[in-house]
Amino acid sequence: MIDRTILVKFGEQTTTEQLQEIVDRFKALKQHLNGVVEVNAGINFSDNNKGYQLVLRVRFEDQAALEAYGPNPEHQAVAALIREYGREDSIAANIEV
């Protein structure tokens, strides 16, 4: 299995409501993706978050499922929303588990 974790930093103009909408939309992706074991997302409340407000995580069955995730239209719609709401930076990490 593969875990993909994404940390996202937004500008000051991004509201808590917008962050929560992204969390909700991201969690709903599971029903639109094949080969996905688990989807988690939330607003980062760590004191040491370096400005990264969102944590998004997906666990895939295998590499093929990870590769299908990127171009998936539902995933692309959430990615567009993240950009629209003021994404300034993001960090992604993939690990085998």
Side-chain angles (χ1 to χ4, degrees):
M1 280 193 263
I2 297 172
D3 267 356
R4 178 172 179 82
T5 302
I6 303 104
L7 303 176
V8 188
K9 183 187 293 187
F10 291 87
E12 292 180 12
Q13 75 282 2
T14 307
T15 67
T16 302
E17 292 78 16
Q18 289 171 322
L19 294 176
Q20 188 60 54
E21 180 182 354
I22 294 167
V23 166
D24 295 342
R25 295 261 313 265
F26 190 82
K27 287 180 178 179
L29 282 177
K30 186 172 185 207
Q31 63 190 339
H32 301 287
L33 300 170
N34 293 322
V36 170
V37 176
E38 185 178 11
V39 174
N40 289 302
I43 297 173
N44 188 357
F45 62 87
S46 170
D47 292 337
N48 188 25
N49 65 27
K50 307 281 186 191
Y52 289 87
Q53 297 109 313
L54 283 187
V55 178
L56 312 172
R57 192 180 70 77
V58 184
R59 178 170 283 184
F60 299 96
E61 291 176 353
D62 54 26
Q63 184 70 30
L66 171 62
E67 290 171 8
Y69 164 76
N72 178 284
E74 297 293 330
H75 169 256
Q76 286 299 312
V78 174
L81 185 66
I82 289 170
R83 289 188 300 274
E84 177 185 336
Y85 284 169
R87 178 187 68 88
E88 291 188 347
D89 192 26
S90 60
I91 298 171
N94 299 332
I95 60 169
E96 288 192 49
V97 292

